[in-house]
Amino acid sequence: MTETNFAEYSWEFLERGTILAVTLSGPANLRLMDPENFAAFQDGEKFESYGGLARRAPYRIKVPKSGPWFLAIDLAGLGVRGVRHEVSVVPPQKLEARRTSRD
């Protein structure tokens, strides 16, 4: 296996509808994956993920279903190094409370 060029975040459980707000100092591929797809990603096999190329921050990814999740901040193919990153988790209840207070 080749040297990995990604940072990893993991959660044992995220509720469906949770938003991951990712702040970056440069461009990166953001890949939100369930455990099976993350294992395939690590092994260099075919995988499916949510997210995409983030050029501006914050980049928001919505968790599609409840369960364990991994987020890979992948720099492969971008020609960049040393991108700083931070991830904030916004639970669905907090989002609903914001909507209600604006009404």
XYZ file of all heavy atoms in Angstrom:
816
model
N 0.846 -1.189 0.000
C 0.000 0.000 0.000
C 0.882 1.241 0.000
O 1.915 1.280 0.647
C -0.895 -0.017 1.239
C -1.922 1.046 1.243
S -3.203 0.615 2.423
C -3.486 2.208 3.119
N 0.468 2.273 -0.706
C 1.241 3.499 -0.774
C 1.016 4.343 0.472
O 0.068 4.130 1.225
C 0.837 4.324 -2.021
O -0.536 4.641 -1.917
C 1.107 3.553 -3.296
N 1.894 5.317 0.648
C 1.778 6.208 1.800
C 0.472 6.995 1.716
O 0.113 7.497 0.650
C 2.959 7.182 1.800
C 2.934 8.146 2.951
C 4.111 9.104 2.907
O 5.151 8.741 2.372
O 3.948 10.220 3.431
N -0.240 7.087 2.825
C -1.508 7.807 2.831
C -1.264 9.307 2.861
O -0.319 9.782 3.466
C -2.371 7.403 4.043
O -1.630 7.663 5.226
C -2.749 5.945 3.977
N -2.127 10.031 2.212
C -2.028 11.480 2.151
C -3.372 12.080 2.548
O -3.955 12.844 1.811
C -1.624 11.910 0.728
C -1.244 13.367 0.669
O -0.863 13.969 1.662
N -1.346 13.954 -0.508
N -3.858 11.656 3.731
C -5.137 12.176 4.194
C -5.164 12.218 5.720
O -4.431 11.508 6.383
C -6.309 11.335 3.661
C -6.405 9.948 4.236
C -7.171 9.702 5.368
C -5.731 8.892 3.648
C -7.267 8.425 5.904
C -5.821 7.613 4.170
C -6.592 7.381 5.294
N -6.009 13.087 6.229
C -6.283 13.143 7.667
C -7.633 12.491 7.885
O -8.490 12.489 7.000
C -6.307 14.585 8.146
N -7.820 11.940 9.071
C -9.026 11.160 9.351
C -9.720 11.656 10.611
O -9.083 11.929 11.613
C -8.601 9.708 9.526
C -9.638 8.814 10.115
C -9.045 7.465 10.528
O -7.978 7.070 10.033
O -9.656 6.829 11.394
N -11.024 11.774 10.519
C -11.882 12.013 11.680
C -12.846 10.838 11.743
O -13.251 10.312 10.703
C -12.697 13.303 11.525
C -11.894 14.570 11.627
C -11.194 15.059 10.529
C -11.847 15.289 12.811
C -10.462 16.239 10.620
C -11.126 16.469 12.909
C -10.431 16.939 11.799
O -9.707 18.103 11.894
N -13.230 10.435 12.947
C -14.197 9.343 13.052
C -15.152 9.592 14.215
O -14.798 10.235 15.200
C -13.489 8.004 13.217
O -12.764 7.976 14.426
N -16.352 9.084 14.044
C -17.389 9.185 15.061
C -18.051 7.825 15.186
O -18.415 7.217 14.171
C -18.444 10.219 14.664
C -17.892 11.602 14.557
C -17.816 12.544 15.551
C -17.343 12.223 13.398
N -17.256 13.699 15.070
C -16.943 13.529 13.756
C -17.130 11.795 12.081
C -16.364 14.413 12.853
C -16.550 12.667 11.184
C -16.171 13.960 11.570
N -18.251 7.364 16.404
C -18.942 6.089 16.625
C -20.405 6.178 16.235
O -21.012 5.187 15.835
C -18.799 5.652 18.083
C -17.409 5.189 18.423
C -17.309 4.670 19.844
O -18.343 4.323 20.441
O -16.177 4.607 20.343
N -20.983 7.393 16.359
C -22.383 7.566 15.986
C -22.643 9.037 15.658
O -22.309 9.924 16.437
C -23.316 7.141 17.120
C -24.776 7.277 16.764
C -25.426 6.264 16.080
C -25.482 8.425 17.096
C -26.769 6.396 15.730
C -26.823 8.564 16.756
C -27.464 7.531 16.069
N -23.223 9.266 14.495
C -23.746 10.575 14.128
C -25.193 10.366 13.700
O -25.508 9.417 12.976
C -22.960 11.192 12.969
C -21.548 11.670 13.261
C -20.865 12.124 11.975
C -21.552 12.796 14.290
N -26.062 11.251 14.155
C -27.481 11.155 13.808
C -27.727 11.685 12.396
O -27.068 12.640 11.952
C -28.286 11.986 14.814
C -29.769 11.839 14.670
C -30.525 12.611 15.751
O -29.930 13.023 16.746
O -31.740 12.794 15.551
N -28.648 11.052 11.699
C -29.042 11.506 10.365
C -29.413 12.989 10.425
O -30.113 13.430 11.342
C -30.241 10.689 9.895
C -30.754 11.113 8.548
C -31.921 10.214 8.155
N -32.363 10.557 6.831
C -33.525 11.134 6.556
N -34.376 11.398 7.525
N -33.847 11.424 5.321
N -28.933 13.760 9.454
C -29.229 15.187 9.414
C -28.181 16.053 10.082
O -28.211 17.273 9.945
N -27.252 15.440 10.811
C -26.145 16.189 11.409
C -25.345 16.844 10.292
O -25.168 16.274 9.219
C -25.233 15.241 12.214
O -25.984 14.694 13.298
C -24.011 15.944 12.747
N -24.865 18.049 10.551
C -24.034 18.760 9.585
C -22.591 18.773 10.093
O -22.341 19.106 11.255
C -24.505 20.219 9.399
C -25.943 20.266 8.888
C -23.551 20.998 8.495
C -26.131 19.792 7.478
N -21.667 18.398 9.223
C -20.241 18.542 9.510
C -19.778 19.795 8.774
O -19.880 19.869 7.544
C -19.462 17.316 9.029
C -19.887 15.985 9.631
C -19.057 14.851 9.031
C -19.747 16.004 11.141
N -19.326 20.778 9.529
C -18.823 22.021 8.944
C -17.300 21.961 8.997
O -16.705 21.942 10.075
C -19.338 23.224 9.718
N -16.678 21.901 7.827
C -15.236 21.719 7.732
C -14.595 23.026 7.309
O -14.947 23.604 6.278
C -14.888 20.607 6.714
C -13.393 20.358 6.686
C -15.648 19.326 7.028
N -13.640 23.504 8.111
C -12.870 24.694 7.798
C -11.492 24.255 7.354
O -10.858 23.429 8.015
C -12.768 25.615 9.031
O -14.096 25.910 9.485
C -12.053 26.900 8.707
N -11.035 24.783 6.236
C -9.757 24.383 5.639
C -8.912 25.611 5.319
O -9.452 26.670 5.018
C -10.001 23.618 4.336
C -10.851 22.367 4.419
C -11.373 21.991 3.040
C -10.019 21.239 4.999
N -7.584 25.423 5.320
C -6.701 26.512 4.913
C -6.352 26.435 3.435
O -5.654 27.299 2.913
C -5.414 26.482 5.746
O -4.672 25.298 5.489
N -6.827 25.414 2.740
C -6.580 25.241 1.315
C -7.518 24.185 0.764
O -8.293 23.584 1.514
N -7.444 23.915 -0.536
C -8.352 22.930 -1.134
C -8.066 21.509 -0.661
O -6.920 21.152 -0.377
C -8.090 23.070 -2.637
C -6.722 23.628 -2.738
C -6.518 24.477 -1.525
N -9.136 20.714 -0.576
C -9.007 19.306 -0.181
C -10.241 18.557 -0.638
O -11.312 19.139 -0.801
C -8.852 19.179 1.334
N -10.078 17.255 -0.846
C -11.208 16.368 -1.115
C -11.760 15.909 0.226
O -11.021 15.375 1.048
C -10.752 15.150 -1.920
C -10.270 15.533 -3.295
O -11.007 16.126 -4.061
N -9.023 15.217 -3.600
N -13.039 16.135 0.450
C -13.684 15.695 1.683
C -14.514 14.470 1.363
O -15.357 14.506 0.459
C -14.567 16.811 2.248
C -13.834 18.113 2.539
C -14.804 19.143 3.110
C -12.672 17.894 3.490
N -14.255 13.389 2.094
C -14.917 12.116 1.808
C -15.541 11.571 3.090
O -14.832 11.088 3.970
C -13.913 11.117 1.255
C -13.150 11.626 0.043
C -12.166 10.588 -0.452
N -11.223 11.085 -1.419
C -11.462 11.280 -2.713
N -12.661 11.050 -3.199
N -10.514 11.713 -3.513
N -16.857 11.672 3.198
C -17.600 11.126 4.329
C -18.024 9.712 3.962
O -18.709 9.508 2.947
C -18.822 11.992 4.634
C -19.691 11.527 5.796
C -18.923 11.594 7.111
C -20.966 12.354 5.871
N -17.605 8.725 4.781
C -17.836 7.321 4.444
C -18.272 6.521 5.655
O -17.859 6.806 6.772
C -16.537 6.707 3.903
C -16.020 7.362 2.642
S -14.340 6.857 2.212
C -13.382 8.031 3.179
N -19.076 5.488 5.376
C -19.404 4.527 6.420
C -18.184 3.605 6.599
O -17.231 3.681 5.819
C -20.678 3.760 6.074
C -20.578 2.957 4.800
O -19.461 2.597 4.358
O -21.632 2.675 4.208
N -18.177 2.766 7.644
C -16.989 1.934 7.913
C -16.556 1.043 6.742
O -15.355 0.906 6.482
C -17.400 1.093 9.121
C -18.411 1.941 9.834
C -19.168 2.633 8.726
N -17.501 0.460 6.020
C -17.149 -0.430 4.915
C -16.456 0.328 3.784
O -15.439 -0.120 3.242
C -18.392 -1.153 4.376
C -19.026 -2.114 5.362
C -19.901 -1.418 6.421
O -20.335 -0.251 6.218
O -20.133 -2.028 7.469
N -17.000 1.486 3.430
C -16.395 2.278 2.362
C -15.065 2.885 2.804
O -14.146 3.008 1.995
C -17.361 3.359 1.876
C -18.403 2.786 0.947
O -18.088 2.361 -0.158
N -19.641 2.746 1.401
N -14.941 3.229 4.085
C -13.672 3.761 4.563
C -12.583 2.690 4.483
O -11.447 2.979 4.087
C -13.805 4.292 5.995
C -12.546 4.933 6.501
C -12.082 6.117 5.950
C -11.818 4.341 7.510
C -10.905 6.704 6.403
C -10.652 4.921 7.973
C -10.191 6.109 7.426
N -12.916 1.453 4.837
C -11.950 0.352 4.734
C -11.516 0.169 3.279
O -10.323 -0.014 2.990
C -12.540 -0.933 5.298
N -12.464 0.224 2.347
C -12.130 0.105 0.926
C -11.244 1.266 0.485
O -10.265 1.072 -0.255
C -13.411 0.054 0.095
N -11.560 2.485 0.927
C -10.750 3.676 0.620
C -9.317 3.475 1.094
O -8.361 3.717 0.349
C -11.390 4.902 1.287
C -10.548 6.140 1.275
C -10.398 6.881 0.110
C -9.916 6.574 2.433
C -9.626 8.041 0.103
C -9.155 7.730 2.435
C -9.004 8.460 1.263
N -9.148 3.004 2.331
C -7.816 2.775 2.885
C -7.049 1.708 2.101
O -5.830 1.788 1.970
C -7.912 2.338 4.344
C -8.286 3.453 5.282
C -8.330 2.964 6.709
O -9.080 2.049 7.040
N -7.513 3.574 7.550
N -7.768 0.715 1.592
C -7.129 -0.378 0.849
C -6.921 -0.050 -0.629
O -6.437 -0.889 -1.388
C -7.966 -1.659 0.976
C -7.958 -2.209 2.389
O -7.052 -1.856 3.172
O -8.872 -3.001 2.717
N -7.320 1.150 -1.048
C -7.157 1.542 -2.442
C -8.157 0.886 -3.369
O -7.949 0.826 -4.584
N -9.260 0.403 -2.805
C -10.302 -0.238 -3.600
C -11.406 0.770 -3.931
O -11.408 1.888 -3.422
C -10.887 -1.416 -2.827
C -9.871 -2.506 -2.527
C -10.407 -3.580 -1.594
O -11.586 -3.493 -1.184
O -9.639 -4.496 -1.267
N -12.361 0.352 -4.732
C -13.489 1.214 -5.093
C -14.340 1.490 -3.848
O -14.605 0.583 -3.063
C -14.334 0.534 -6.166
C -15.429 1.409 -6.702
C -16.184 0.738 -7.817
C -17.285 1.681 -8.276
N -18.057 1.134 -9.354
N -14.742 2.741 -3.691
C -15.541 3.138 -2.525
C -16.535 4.211 -2.931
O -16.400 4.831 -3.987
C -14.627 3.667 -1.402
C -13.907 4.934 -1.784
C -14.453 6.173 -1.506
C -12.691 4.887 -2.455
C -13.808 7.344 -1.878
C -12.032 6.038 -2.834
C -12.587 7.271 -2.544
N -17.527 4.418 -2.079
C -18.495 5.500 -2.269
C -18.391 6.449 -1.090
O -18.138 6.021 0.040
C -19.908 4.944 -2.368
C -20.128 4.117 -3.622
C -21.557 3.628 -3.748
O -22.434 4.103 -2.992
O -21.788 2.770 -4.610
N -18.579 7.737 -1.361
C -18.482 8.725 -0.288
C -19.398 9.908 -0.579
O -19.887 10.080 -1.687
C -17.035 9.209 -0.139
O -16.619 9.932 -1.285
N -19.617 10.717 0.442
C -20.364 11.963 0.343
C -19.356 13.092 0.524
O -18.366 12.949 1.224
C -21.439 12.052 1.439
C -22.438 10.932 1.352
C -22.220 9.719 2.001
C -23.603 11.071 0.607
C -23.138 8.679 1.910
C -24.521 10.038 0.507
C -24.276 8.845 1.170
O -25.176 7.817 1.071
N -19.627 14.223 -0.077
C -18.715 15.355 0.025
C -18.237 15.754 -1.354
O -19.000 15.745 -2.305
N -16.950 16.044 -1.459
C -16.390 16.441 -2.737
C -15.213 17.366 -2.542
O -14.664 17.487 -1.447
N -14.831 18.025 -3.618
C -13.708 18.953 -3.572
C -14.153 20.242 -2.888
O -15.088 20.901 -3.347
C -13.197 19.249 -4.987
C -12.083 20.287 -5.092
C -10.848 19.848 -4.302
C -11.738 20.540 -6.542
N -13.485 20.575 -1.806
C -13.796 21.798 -1.065
C -12.756 22.852 -1.402
O -11.569 22.648 -1.179
C -13.797 21.521 0.431
N -13.205 23.925 -1.969
C -12.305 25.041 -2.294
C -12.505 26.211 -1.342
O -11.623 27.037 -1.191
C -12.531 25.505 -3.727
C -12.160 24.459 -4.753
C -12.290 25.034 -6.156
N -12.065 24.030 -7.154
C -10.869 23.737 -7.651
N -9.804 24.360 -7.213
N -10.740 22.817 -8.585
N -13.712 26.296 -0.762
C -14.016 27.384 0.174
C -14.507 26.808 1.487
O -15.124 25.750 1.515
C -15.111 28.281 -0.387
C -14.621 29.194 -1.463
C -15.616 30.282 -1.674
N -16.405 29.975 -2.864
C -17.535 30.556 -3.175
N -18.048 31.443 -2.382
N -18.179 30.244 -4.269
N -14.224 27.523 2.546
C -14.662 27.075 3.869
C -15.700 28.065 4.402
O -15.667 29.232 4.046
C -13.467 27.005 4.807
N -16.603 27.650 5.267
C -16.745 26.256 5.662
C -17.488 25.454 4.593
O -18.369 25.973 3.916
C -17.557 26.316 6.951
C -18.359 27.570 6.829
C -17.515 28.528 6.016
N -17.114 24.223 4.471
C -17.762 23.280 3.569
C -18.657 22.418 4.442
O -18.203 21.901 5.460
C -16.700 22.432 2.859
C -17.245 21.555 1.769
C -17.264 21.986 0.447
C -17.735 20.283 2.042
C -17.754 21.184 -0.581
C -18.220 19.469 1.025
C -18.227 19.926 -0.279
O -18.707 19.119 -1.275
N -19.906 22.276 4.071
C -20.866 21.546 4.901
C -21.257 20.232 4.243
O -21.576 20.213 3.052
C -22.100 22.401 5.149
C -21.806 23.593 6.033
C -23.006 24.500 6.170
N -22.733 25.612 7.047
C -22.109 26.726 6.695
N -21.694 26.878 5.455
N -21.899 27.695 7.555
N -21.230 19.171 5.047
C -21.660 17.854 4.587
C -22.764 17.378 5.520
O -22.585 17.379 6.742
C -20.504 16.835 4.605
C -19.316 17.332 3.794
C -20.981 15.479 4.095
C -18.085 16.461 3.932
N -23.880 16.975 4.958
C -24.997 16.469 5.754
C -24.901 14.948 5.862
O -24.745 14.258 4.854
C -26.324 16.864 5.094
C -27.529 16.615 5.947
C -28.746 17.202 5.269
C -29.936 17.180 6.184
N -31.099 17.830 5.572
N -24.995 14.440 7.080
C -24.930 12.993 7.326
C -26.229 12.357 6.821
O -27.310 12.730 7.272
C -24.705 12.715 8.829
C -24.767 11.225 9.121
C -23.376 13.311 9.289
N -26.127 11.398 5.871
C -27.332 10.859 5.239
C -28.113 9.840 6.060
O -29.306 9.654 5.833
C -26.789 10.199 3.969
C -25.390 9.853 4.301
C -24.909 10.909 5.258
N -27.452 9.164 6.999
C -28.164 8.197 7.846
C -27.416 8.052 9.167
O -26.211 8.297 9.242
C -28.318 6.838 7.146
C -27.012 6.147 6.847
C -27.249 4.822 6.144
C -25.897 4.167 5.858
N -26.004 2.907 5.186
N -28.133 7.661 10.193
C -27.536 7.512 11.523
C -26.597 6.307 11.551
O -26.862 5.284 10.921
C -28.630 7.330 12.574
O -29.451 8.473 12.633
N -25.499 6.454 12.283
C -24.546 5.363 12.429
C -23.131 5.873 12.579
O -22.895 7.064 12.774
N -22.148 4.961 12.477
C -20.738 5.362 12.562
C -20.276 5.966 11.236
O -20.703 5.521 10.167
C -20.012 4.043 12.853
C -20.905 2.989 12.297
C -22.309 3.510 12.404
N -19.394 6.976 11.306
C -18.920 7.663 10.108
C -17.439 8.009 10.212
O -16.925 8.245 11.300
C -19.724 8.936 9.865
C -21.105 8.642 9.417
C -22.227 8.588 10.193
C -21.520 8.299 8.096
N -23.315 8.231 9.431
C -22.900 8.049 8.138
C -20.852 8.171 6.874
C -23.643 7.695 7.008
C -21.591 7.821 5.750
C -22.962 7.588 5.833
N -16.813 8.075 9.055
C -15.427 8.516 8.926
C -15.387 9.660 7.928
O -16.091 9.632 6.915
C -14.549 7.379 8.381
C -14.358 6.255 9.346
C -15.293 5.238 9.429
C -13.247 6.215 10.174
C -15.136 4.189 10.320
C -13.078 5.173 11.068
C -14.015 4.158 11.142
N -14.553 10.658 8.211
C -14.324 11.749 7.275
C -12.837 11.758 6.945
O -11.999 11.873 7.844
C -14.728 13.094 7.884
C -14.446 14.315 7.006
C -15.320 14.292 5.749
C -14.658 15.602 7.779
N -12.531 11.598 5.662
C -11.151 11.690 5.197
C -10.977 13.038 4.521
O -11.783 13.423 3.672
C -10.830 10.563 4.232
N -9.946 13.758 4.940
C -9.561 15.000 4.278
C -8.357 14.627 3.431
O -7.259 14.448 3.932
C -9.262 16.103 5.309
C -10.535 16.373 6.114
C -8.761 17.358 4.602
C -10.375 17.372 7.230
N -8.627 14.455 2.148
C -7.705 13.825 1.210
C -7.082 14.874 0.290
O -7.791 15.631 -0.359
C -8.516 12.794 0.406
C -7.706 12.021 -0.592
O -6.464 12.124 -0.589
O -8.325 11.298 -1.387
N -5.749 14.891 0.235
C -5.037 15.861 -0.598
C -4.502 15.238 -1.882
O -3.871 15.924 -2.691
C -3.890 16.483 0.195
C -4.278 17.122 1.529
C -3.050 17.656 2.240
C -5.311 18.212 1.328
N -4.744 13.953 -2.085
C -4.205 13.253 -3.252
C -4.628 13.927 -4.549
O -5.793 14.268 -4.745
C -4.661 11.798 -3.247
N -3.657 14.126 -5.419
C -3.918 14.689 -6.738
C -4.097 16.190 -6.774
O -4.331 16.759 -7.839
N -3.990 16.863 -5.643
C -4.220 18.307 -5.613
C -2.935 19.127 -5.635
O -2.978 20.338 -5.802
C -5.058 18.689 -4.383
C -6.466 18.107 -4.349
C -7.168 18.497 -3.060
C -7.269 18.565 -5.546
N -1.799 18.482 -5.390
C -0.534 19.207 -5.395
C -0.380 20.181 -4.242
O 0.345 21.166 -4.361
N -1.067 19.939 -3.151
C -0.950 20.793 -1.967
C -0.445 19.958 -0.798
O -0.580 18.739 -0.784
C -2.296 21.470 -1.590
C -2.745 22.392 -2.689
C -3.361 20.450 -1.289
N 0.146 20.644 0.177
C 0.635 19.964 1.376
C 0.296 20.807 2.599
O 0.203 22.020 2.517
C 2.157 19.801 1.295
C 2.580 18.905 0.156
C 4.063 18.866 0.030
N 4.629 18.278 1.246
C 5.929 18.179 1.459
N 6.775 18.628 0.583
N 6.380 17.631 2.572
N 0.118 20.129 3.700
C -0.040 20.821 4.972
C -1.287 21.667 5.120
O -1.225 22.740 5.701
N -2.400 21.218 4.631
C -3.654 21.961 4.793
C -4.145 21.807 6.231
O -4.295 20.701 6.727
C -4.716 21.454 3.790
C -6.065 22.082 4.067
C -4.278 21.734 2.365
N -4.362 22.932 6.898
C -4.926 22.893 8.256
C -6.436 22.695 8.141
O -7.060 23.181 7.203
C -4.613 24.196 8.991
C -3.140 24.353 9.315
C -2.856 25.620 10.133
N -3.475 26.835 9.607
C -2.979 27.567 8.616
N -1.875 27.218 8.014
N -3.617 28.662 8.213
N -6.999 21.996 9.122
C -8.424 21.691 9.056
C -9.007 21.596 10.452
O -8.322 21.321 11.420
C -8.658 20.378 8.302
C -7.709 19.296 8.688
N -7.896 18.487 9.781
C -6.542 18.923 8.126
C -6.886 17.646 9.871
N -6.049 17.886 8.891
N -10.309 21.854 10.493
C -11.082 21.747 11.728
C -12.487 21.337 11.341
O -13.012 21.791 10.328
C -11.103 23.102 12.432
C -11.854 23.117 13.729
C -11.811 24.486 14.379
O -10.754 25.136 14.386
O -12.879 24.905 14.868
N -13.086 20.462 12.145
C -14.435 19.988 11.855
C -15.338 20.288 13.043
O -15.013 19.940 14.178
C -14.451 18.471 11.562
C -15.872 17.995 11.298
C -13.543 18.134 10.388
N -16.457 20.943 12.782
C -17.476 21.198 13.796
C -18.681 20.332 13.485
O -19.077 20.204 12.324
C -17.908 22.661 13.782
O -16.808 23.498 14.056
N -19.267 19.747 14.526
C -20.439 18.889 14.382
C -21.659 19.663 14.868
O -21.693 20.116 16.011
C -20.258 17.581 15.192
C -21.498 16.715 15.088
C -19.015 16.825 14.725
N -22.635 19.816 13.983
C -23.866 20.525 14.334
C -25.010 19.511 14.299
O -25.442 19.086 13.228
C -24.153 21.682 13.348
C -25.405 22.437 13.770
C -22.961 22.603 13.235
N -25.491 19.084 15.494
C -26.575 18.093 15.553
C -27.873 18.631 14.959
O -28.107 19.839 14.967
C -26.746 17.817 17.047
C -25.569 18.426 17.722
C -25.034 19.484 16.810
N -28.737 17.746 14.470
C -30.006 18.186 13.873
C -30.868 19.010 14.821
O -31.546 19.930 14.396
C -30.719 16.887 13.496
C -29.713 15.821 13.560
C -28.595 16.306 14.431
N -30.842 18.703 16.122
C -31.658 19.450 17.087
C -31.242 20.916 17.110
O -32.071 21.808 17.220
C -31.519 18.881 18.511
C -31.899 17.450 18.660
C -30.713 16.511 18.404
O -29.732 16.840 17.768
N -30.829 15.298 18.906
N -29.960 21.185 17.005
C -29.467 22.554 17.015
C -29.913 23.291 15.754
O -30.260 24.459 15.786
C -27.940 22.550 17.116
C -27.375 23.706 17.842
C -25.900 23.506 18.076
C -25.468 24.361 19.230
N -24.065 24.264 19.510
N -29.922 22.593 14.623
C -30.389 23.186 13.378
C -31.866 23.541 13.474
O -32.289 24.610 13.058
C -30.166 22.214 12.211
C -28.717 21.945 11.835
C -28.648 20.782 10.858
C -28.081 23.181 11.238
N -32.673 22.642 14.033
C -34.109 22.879 14.185
C -34.357 24.056 15.127
O -35.227 24.885 14.872
C -34.804 21.618 14.698
C -36.304 21.706 14.696
C -36.888 21.987 13.316
O -36.391 21.444 12.324
O -37.852 22.781 13.248
N -33.576 24.158 16.195
C -33.732 25.267 17.140
C -33.433 26.598 16.451
O -34.105 27.599 16.696
C -32.812 25.071 18.343
N -32.433 26.631 15.572
C -32.111 27.857 14.832
C -33.265 28.251 13.921
O -33.617 29.414 13.830
C -30.856 27.652 13.983
C -29.594 27.778 14.742
C -28.446 27.799 13.759
N -27.259 27.303 14.424
C -26.211 26.816 13.810
N -26.181 26.738 12.506
N -25.160 26.392 14.489
N -33.838 27.285 13.221
C -34.955 27.562 12.304
C -36.146 28.111 13.075
O -36.792 29.062 12.659
C -35.360 26.292 11.561
C -34.450 25.961 10.438
C -35.019 24.823 9.590
N -33.901 24.126 9.006
C -33.531 22.898 9.303
N -34.213 22.173 10.149
N -32.485 22.339 8.728
N -36.468 27.500 14.226
C -37.607 27.901 15.031
C -37.418 29.326 15.565
O -38.348 30.120 15.573
C -37.801 26.929 16.195
O -37.967 25.618 15.657
C -39.027 27.281 17.010
N -36.208 29.675 15.984
C -35.976 31.011 16.553
C -36.056 32.100 15.500
O -36.290 33.250 15.823
C -34.609 31.051 17.256
O -33.563 30.938 16.326
N -35.884 31.766 14.212
C -35.978 32.748 13.138
C -37.410 32.971 12.681
O -37.697 33.949 12.008
C -35.130 32.311 11.936
C -33.667 32.519 12.170
C -32.937 32.261 10.884
N -32.000 31.173 11.148
C -31.408 30.463 10.237
N -31.638 30.679 8.972
N -30.564 29.505 10.560
N -38.307 32.052 12.989
C -39.707 32.160 12.524
C -40.484 33.213 13.265
O -40.200 33.741 14.227
C -40.428 30.813 12.672
C -39.823 29.765 11.726
O -39.154 30.177 10.754
O -40.020 28.581 11.977
